[in-house]
Amino acid sequence: MATPNALPPAPAFPKAVPFIIGNEVAERFSYYGMRAILPTFLVAQFFNPGHDAALTAVAEARANDFVHSFAALGYALPIVGALLADWVVGKYRVILYLSLLYCVGHALLAAFAEDLNGFRLGLLVVAVGMGGIKSSVTANLGDQFDRHNAHLLPKAYGWFQLAIDVGAALSTAFIPELYARYGAAVAFGVPGLLMGAATLTFWRGRRHYVRVPPTGLAQGLRHTFGPGEGRAALRRVGVVFVFIPVVWALYDQSVSEWVLQAAHLNRELWPGFTPLPEQIQILGIVFGIGLNPLLTYRVYPALERAGIRTTPLRRIGTGMVIVALALAIVAGIQHNLDVGGQPSIWWQVLAYFVVAGGTLMVAVTGLEYAYTHSPPAIKSLTTALWLLTIAGGNFFLGIMNASIANGGFFARFQGANYYWFFVVLMAVNVALFALVTSRLREKTYVGIGELPAA
């Protein structure tokens, strides 16, 4: 017999969440494991196999161009995956089928580790698979919540970011060791096995997912681009997101330019321990794992209690400033290298700590913002727009590094000037962001099929 006046049970996380989080850990292991060794592998295998010092700058610029162009394609394709998910086949089928294609891409990387054309094909297939599922996986997490447990959504996205960080950290520590000991074929093959595990984990949760049916092509076009909430929401979200590519243009250097910079530093962290250049980037991930819950459960609530509202736009703006500070530290390291010094890797440790905090304030908030500020019919699409900001930042980095490799306009920005260019760019970006968003009228949505929340 029910107890009179008993309180209803506290809302809990949906049963589907563990499968989504588990899938994300393994998928991010596969992606970041491959990407951890990509820039140094390209230089050593294809662009400067003879280790000619005279070719170092051009070879590294070509590798950076390759890495950022791959990332740009991968993070541009979520738009296509989102449209398929929202309008045609639904999120579940998009995630499952393109995850299988993703596995094929990893197999091609392992098979063609000594053939640049075949390797390029593998990267293309990985980009299609990764990009095609990315926005749907993120939006699928939000779909599991309704009005009764919507207040748990920020924490769910915090756990989602933690899953990304854990998968990335494990692979960044492990895959470079495999590469150093057993070669490229094994180092690129193991991430493929983890992508297989990610696909299996997602499939096993199939009976627990809340599946939002696709709207149909005609209705999707009408909701998105016709008069009404879809177009208005896209406009509001787009005004915020147009400033985000600069953040990624700074942050994504930490997994390419910074890695190549680390090869020239004194990497002895303490006596007897000198990590590989590719392994240094794990520090940013580890710091992210520690800072993520600290920001979510301690810093933001403490500021709210002190009367300082930590709105999404304030978090994003503050994160931009902190990311710029990290680039200033790296510019100082590069200046020391330019004048013949060999600075300690501990300066990069500091830069990774700073960039981790700033990027978390932007990344976690941005994912939440993309979902909560769009109506149900376009949630995957707005999430894809968020991911498109990553593509934009990497696309610019690819163009800039190609220009440097070919002696073009951006060739004047080499050495420390390369990093100072981005510090100044972010300063301008932050000023414009503050000016524009101070006049923005926001509108939020919760759950699936809910009315706008006040």
Side-chain angles (χ1 to χ4, degrees):
M1 179 181 296
T3 304
N5 301 321
L7 294 175
F13 280 98
K15 292 182 179 180
V17 170
F19 294 96
I20 296 172
I21 298 299
N23 165 263
E24 189 68 9
V25 170
E27 186 273 329
R28 289 290 86 184
F29 184 106
S30 77
Y31 176 75
Y32 280 101
M34 173 273 297
R35 191 169 170 179
I37 61 173
L38 188 57
T40 50
F41 164 76
L42 289 170
V43 171
Q45 182 67 31
F46 299 121
F47 300 144
N48 192 12
H51 306 288
D52 186 344
L55 298 177
T56 297
V58 171
E60 290 184 352
R62 290 185 66 191
N64 288 330
D65 173 25
F66 217 88
V67 170
H68 293 304
S69 297
F70 158 71
L73 177 62
Y75 283 104
L77 288 173
I79 289 288
V80 178
L83 296 180
L84 286 173
D86 282 345
W87 297 356
V88 184
V89 299
K91 299 182 187 71
Y92 176 79
R93 290 180 178 176
V94 164
I95 296 170
L96 181 61
Y97 296 151
L98 288 182
S99 291
L100 293 172
L101 181 65
Y102 199 163
C103 294
V104 172
H106 278 293
L108 290 173
L109 294 181
F112 293 103
E114 297 182 0
D115 180 343
L116 182 58
N117 290 329
F119 191 82
R120 183 183 285 117
L121 174 63
L123 285 178
L124 175 62
V125 176
V126 168
V128 172
M130 186 278 290
I133 70 173
K134 194 60 184 168
S135 60
S136 295
V137 170
T138 308
N140 188 47
L141 174 61
D143 286 347
Q144 309 310 308
F145 293 79
D146 56 26
R147 66 163 65 92
H148 303 294
N149 57 9
H151 65 285
L152 296 174
L153 190 57
K155 292 182 179 180
Y157 275 116
W159 281 106
F160 188 80
Q161 181 63 43
L162 183 61
I164 294 172
D165 289 337
V166 168
L170 292 175
S171 63
T172 304
F174 185 54
I175 298 302
E177 286 289 345
L178 283 184
Y179 178 43
R181 292 171 182 264
Y182 304 107
V186 173
F188 285 115
V190 169
L193 296 178
L194 267 293
M195 189 59 222
T199 306
L200 179 62
T201 301
F202 177 75
W203 177 79
R204 289 188 63 191
R206 65 195 181 280
R207 293 188 177 89
H208 300 289
Y209 300 127
V210 173
R211 301 191 193 184
V212 179
T215 62
L217 184 60
Q219 188 175 354
L221 287 168
R222 186 166 57 251
H223 276 306
T224 305
F225 302 109
E229 281 303 306
R231 187 166 67 180
L234 281 177
R235 185 170 57 250
R236 289 191 297 267
V237 170
V239 166
V240 175
F241 286 4
V242 75
F243 297 98
I244 305 301
V246 178
V247 177
W248 298 114
L250 273 67
Y251 170 75
D252 274 343
Q253 294 176 43
S254 67
V255 294
S256 53
E257 282 86 342
W258 295 18
V259 175
L260 295 172
Q261 183 190 71
H264 306 290
L265 302 179
N266 173 10
R267 296 194 309 278
E268 187 176 56
L269 285 173
W270 51 80
F273 180 62
T274 302
L276 297 167
E278 300 94 337
Q279 292 177 315
I280 300 299
Q281 59 190 301
I282 195 176
L283 294 170
I285 302 165
V286 171
F287 289 141
I289 293 173
L291 289 172
N292 184 15
L294 180 65
L295 289 170
T296 302
Y297 295 101
R298 292 288 184 266
V299 176
Y300 295 152
L303 291 173
E304 292 284 351
R305 289 192 298 270
I308 302 173
R309 291 189 62 210
T310 57
T311 65
L313 296 181
R314 288 181 178 178
R315 277 180 267 162
I316 290 172
T318 303
M320 289 179 179
V321 174
I322 295 173
V323 170
L325 177 60
L327 261 288
I329 295 170
V330 174
I333 297 172
Q334 189 62 45
H335 174 75
N336 194 323
L337 286 172
D338 293 344
V339 298
Q342 192 181 33
S344 170
I345 194 64
W346 280 103
W347 286 106
Q348 262 204 7
V349 173
L350 175 61
Y352 274 112
F353 177 80
V354 174
V355 83
T359 307
L360 275 172
M361 296 183 74
V362 177
V364 176
T365 306
L367 282 174
E368 179 188 342
Y369 195 93
Y371 188 85
T372 59
H373 285 71
S374 60
I378 62 168
K379 287 189 182 295
S380 286
L381 181 58
T382 51
T383 302
L385 288 179
W386 170 256
L387 297 173
L388 190 61
T389 66
I390 304 176
N394 278 277
F395 181 70
F396 178 73
L397 286 172
I399 290 176
M400 188 170 183
N401 278 281
S403 176
I404 293 172
N406 296 322
F409 173 80
F410 287 107
R412 70 195 67 188
F413 298 109
Q414 295 190 47
N417 288 337
Y418 180 90
Y419 298 107
W420 285 120
F421 168 82
F422 285 100
V423 174
V424 173
L425 180 63
M426 180 59 87
V428 174
N429 190 64
V430 170
L432 293 174
F433 176 81
L435 178 64
V436 172
T437 58
S438 64
R439 305 179 181 182
L440 182 66
R441 296 186 64 182
E442 299 178 278
K443 191 173 187 179
T444 59
Y445 303 78
V446 294
I448 56 174
E450 295 288 323
L451 294 174

